Amino acid sequence: MSQFTINIIFVGLSFALYFGIAWWARAGSTSEFYVAGGGVHPVMNGMATAADWMSAASFISMAGIIATGGYAASTYLMGWTGGYVLLAMLLAPYLRKFGKFTVPDFIGDRFYSKTAAMIAVVCLIIASTTYVIGQMTGAGVAFSRFLEVDNTTGLIIAAVVVFFYAVLGGMKGITYTQVAQYVVLMIAYTIPAVFISLELTGNPIPGLGLFSNHTEAGIPILTKLDQIVVDLGFTAYTADVPNKLNMVLFTLSLMIGTAGLPHVIIRFFTVPKVADARWTAGWTLVFISLLYFTAPAVGAMARLNLIDTVYPQGVDAPAIEFDKRPDWMKTWEDTGLIKYNDLNNDGRIQLYSDSGLGAAELALASATADGGDVAAATAAVDKAKAEHALERDGIFVDRGWAGNELDVNADILVLANPEIAQLPGWVIGLIAAGGLAAALSTAAGLLLAISSAISHDLIKRNLNPNITDAGELKVARITMAIAIVVATYLGINPPGFAAQVVALAFGIAGASLFPALMMGIFSKRINNLGAIAGMLTGLISILVYIFVFKGWFFITGTANFPDTEEYWLFGISPLSFGAVGALLNFIVAFAVSYATAPPPAHIQELVESVRSPRGAGGAIDH
């Protein structure tokens, strides 16, 4: 049986399960569409929230970024996990006590302002849309490989699947579908990791295998990895982070972004009681930790296996011949996510850190062919050659290497790991189903958040308060369909790979929504003007900072400065600016609030009431 057939069987069976659940749990009212009727058990909700959380970024891209970034990329783990602690302790129970459908619902009533609610809607849509780009990108990567289609076709297939069960079932269908997806993705993630850990270290627990000895070398696996990546000119895998400020701010951005993401917060409106909201957060942490404990090992072992594939006799011996490359490389080349350029015409694949020489040579070739700035491209090649000659005392030049020849998209490493490690075909089929489950589950949750913001917060609460329940449900489904189309388009043209795009979304949510939620719960003095000014400050500051380096509205070629540390303000990456935006949000909100009249008495009483853990009812449509 061919690998393609195996993949189709695993993916087909999992999709049949999702579609069946979506049909069984289809929403018949706005309450079921928005909050699953408010009757989900905390354990089930924790599992669904974990699936919502363990997105394409977590399942597909996080281990990839750890594989390429090493210790420095551990900030993703710390930030995303720490954010759930913030959410459980500071937000979830209080928002559940408030009892509304959505985050803009809370902000609009707490700050007694339709304008505040509308700004929250804008913040929600921008953050969720940015986040969903990463999910659709990840889904496209998974579909393109395992269904053996191009990346764009893969994205379109993913959009059709999400459209069916998200539009049909709403939160009710998504919740129970995500329970199934959690089971699928966790099995898919851990089984290959166990095989690979056994193969490399003899330890069946990947998290422990990461700190065990390499079976063949007899030394700790991290020590071996450090040695070979340094020999290839890369920074040591376990090297410390030089920019501590950026690391701290990035971790904080991920934490507050986690606590401020609307599609996660809305999960806590689906349980019956306030106590259940806390239990949901606790169970979610348990379920998430199973994957996060494994991810660092998967990343490190994927990096080691990739290098061993290219240098089967060690990094000091000749690299593998291109014609003898393994089948998995050929398959991924067809997707365009692995690229090979034989720069020195030796028929072998050189993978190493070349000071940008390979990229500069390709840029020069492109400029020459397309009539670009050949002089500038030539200067860039000369500069890269000079740096290349200094690396490792010129050893790369002495070997005749003319630049790095293998470009591997970081998003593929988890999906390709079983193939790289030569595991059985059924394991590859299993991880295909898991990768797709991870991308689709979070995409569905995000699209629901966007849909509810427009249909409920914008239309029901402001533009057409008299719309019927059936009419609102229809608008919600139409809105979600439109959101899927937009998300698919943006997924085809993303501003980075999955984990980076997701980090931008977290920064936007953390800078704009998190401070408003915190101040709305814990400060009676923050008024409507302060909240509005704070949200606008946080949102505008982070968007401008991101667009300056990433391109305006993520349009290629519109960036004002290169996205490198020498151009960042105080060395702060656009991915880390969420924490700065949040600080500005807090400062402006407090300054404006204390310079103007305090909130009305009934609003201050509302804040007191929200803090009390008793007396919450179901989520209600105001």
Side-chain angles (χ1 to χ4, degrees):
M1 186 181 296
S2 69
Q3 185 61 57
F4 178 73
T5 304
I6 295 172
N7 294 344
I8 290 294
I9 291 172
F10 274 88
V11 172
L13 288 175
S14 63
F15 281 5
L17 175 63
Y18 306 152
F19 289 158
I21 292 173
W23 181 260
W24 167 74
R26 60 191 183 276
S29 67
T30 51
S31 176
E32 290 182 337
F33 192 88
Y34 293 139
V35 293
V40 182
H41 190 278
V43 176
M44 296 280 283
N45 202 36
M47 198 176 294
T49 307
D52 211 349
W53 183 245
M54 291 188 297
S55 58
S58 290
F59 187 97
I60 297 174
S61 192
M62 183 175 65
I65 201 170
I66 291 174
T68 56
Y71 169 74
S74 63
T75 49
Y76 285 90
L77 290 170
M78 294 185 291
W80 285 340
T81 307
Y84 257 101
V85 178
L86 283 182
L87 187 61
M89 300 300 295
L90 299 179
L91 293 181
Y94 304 109
L95 293 173
R96 175 61 191 83
K97 171 66 185 296
F98 195 76
K100 295 294 187 71
F101 277 161
T102 65
V103 169
D105 254 350
F106 170 79
I107 290 177
D109 281 12
R110 162 58 184 88
F111 296 113
Y112 51 100
S113 168
K114 287 186 177 181
T115 301
M118 289 300 96
I119 293 173
V121 168
V122 172
C123 296
L124 183 153
I125 291 173
I126 292 173
S128 298
T129 301
T130 306
Y131 196 171
V132 85
I133 296 172
Q135 307 318 306
M136 299 308 287
T137 301
V141 170
F143 272 105
S144 63
R145 164 61 187 93
F146 295 113
L147 298 185
E148 297 184 10
V149 296
D150 62 77
N151 197 48
T152 300
T153 304
L155 266 168
I156 294 171
I157 296 172
V160 171
V161 174
V162 173
F163 175 87
F164 182 86
Y165 73 79
V167 172
L168 181 69
M171 179 59 86
K172 185 179 179 184
I174 288 170
T175 295
Y176 293 107
T177 301
Q178 285 175 335
V179 172
Q181 286 171 327
Y182 175 79
V183 175
V184 171
L185 70 88
M186 277 308 305
I187 292 174
Y189 202 85
T190 54
I191 287 180
V194 168
F195 272 106
I196 293 168
S197 182
L198 276 170
E199 185 178 283
L200 292 177
T201 69
N203 194 317
I205 303 175
L208 300 180
L210 181 62
F211 301 99
S212 302
N213 283 347
H214 187 269
T215 303
E216 291 185 6
I219 59 176
I221 192 169
L222 287 176
T223 301
K224 177 177 174 60
L225 188 54
D226 271 346
Q227 288 176 353
I228 61 176
V229 297
V230 169
D231 285 345
L232 292 173
F234 297 102
T235 303
Y237 193 79
T238 60
D240 198 2
V241 180
N243 190 334
K244 294 293 195 302
L245 172 64
N246 201 58
M247 183 178 185
V248 170
L249 290 178
F250 184 50
T251 305
L252 284 174
S253 294
L254 293 178
M255 288 177 67
I256 62 177
T258 298
L261 277 174
H263 80 289
V264 174
I265 292 173
I266 199 173
R267 280 272 167 216
F268 298 97
F269 299 145
T270 66
V271 292
K273 299 178 296 185
V274 172
D276 292 337
R278 288 191 186 276
W279 278 111
T280 290
W283 279 111
T284 300
L285 278 170
V286 170
F287 292 131
I288 287 174
S289 67
L290 297 177
L291 185 142
Y292 277 23
F293 180 64
T294 306
V298 171
M301 293 174 186
R303 180 82 176 271
L304 186 59
N305 277 331
L306 177 62
I307 294 174
D308 284 344
T309 299
V310 177
Y311 299 98
Q313 298 177 330
V315 296
D316 292 324
I320 191 172
E321 293 180 25
F322 178 72
D323 292 339
K324 295 181 180 179
R325 69 197 187 284
D327 289 339
W328 71 265
M329 272 193 178
K330 299 174 185 176
T331 307
W332 281 103
E333 284 171 14
D334 292 339
T335 69
L337 298 172
I338 284 184
K339 297 177 182 177
Y340 169 68
N341 295 284
D342 191 4
L343 296 172
N344 62 350
N345 298 311
D346 68 347
R348 296 182 180 273
I349 303 174
Q350 277 85 47
L351 170 65
Y352 70 108
S353 177
D354 65 355
S355 297
L357 178 58
E361 291 278 13
L362 290 176
L364 175 58
S366 177
T368 303
D370 301 333
D373 191 341
V374 175
T378 302
V381 168
D382 292 340
K383 180 181 179 183
K385 281 182 177 178
E387 294 180 5
H388 184 244
L390 296 175
E391 283 184 342
R392 298 263 292 139
D393 298 324
I395 190 172
F396 299 145
V397 176
D398 294 340
R399 291 177 179 175
W401 294 358
N404 178 58
E405 297 176 343
L406 189 66
D407 180 19
V408 179
N409 187 308
D411 282 343
I412 77 166
L413 286 178
V414 169
L415 300 178
N417 222 5
E419 297 171 278
I420 297 173
Q422 300 179 344
L423 297 182
W426 67 267
V427 179
I428 298 170
L430 187 61
I431 205 165
L436 297 175
L440 297 178
S441 62
T442 302
L446 289 163
L447 292 165
L448 178 66
I450 295 170
S451 171
S452 61
I454 295 174
S455 61
H456 181 71
D457 297 308
L458 180 62
I459 295 176
K460 170 71 173 178
R461 284 178 58 93
N462 293 281
L463 301 182
N464 186 9
N466 298 321
I467 191 172
T468 64
D469 189 73
E472 185 181 353
L473 187 59
K474 182 179 180 180
V475 170
R477 284 176 167 149
I478 292 172
T479 302
M480 185 177 288
I482 295 171
I484 290 172
V485 173
V486 174
T488 303
Y489 171 77
L490 293 173
I492 295 171
N493 303 282
F497 61 91
Q500 287 184 320
V501 178
V502 167
L504 294 177
F506 279 67
I508 293 168
S512 59
L513 293 175
F514 175 77
L517 294 171
M518 285 290 293
M519 291 182 289
I521 293 169
F522 294 104
S523 175
K524 295 188 292 184
R525 186 61 181 81
I526 301 298
N527 60 20
N528 56 347
L529 297 177
I532 291 170
M535 283 191 291
L536 287 176
T537 299
L539 179 64
I540 293 171
S541 63
I542 188 168
L543 285 180
V544 169
Y545 197 76
I546 289 173
F547 290 157
V548 162
F549 295 104
K550 298 288 186 181
W552 289 88
F553 303 101
F554 299 133
I555 297 173
T556 304
T558 60
N560 299 93
F561 300 102
D563 189 14
T564 56
E565 187 170 351
E566 61 185 301
Y567 291 95
W568 297 340
L569 182 65
F570 302 115
I572 300 172
S573 161
L575 301 180
S576 306
F577 198 78
V580 178
L583 178 61
L584 295 174
N585 188 330
F586 277 115
I587 291 173
V588 170
F590 273 98
V592 172
S593 294
Y594 277 89
T596 53
H602 73 277
I603 294 297
Q604 297 189 45
E605 291 171 4
L606 175 65
V607 175
E608 289 284 356
S609 173
V610 166
R611 292 186 202 159
S612 172
R614 299 183 182 277
I620 52 177
D621 182 2
H622 293 270

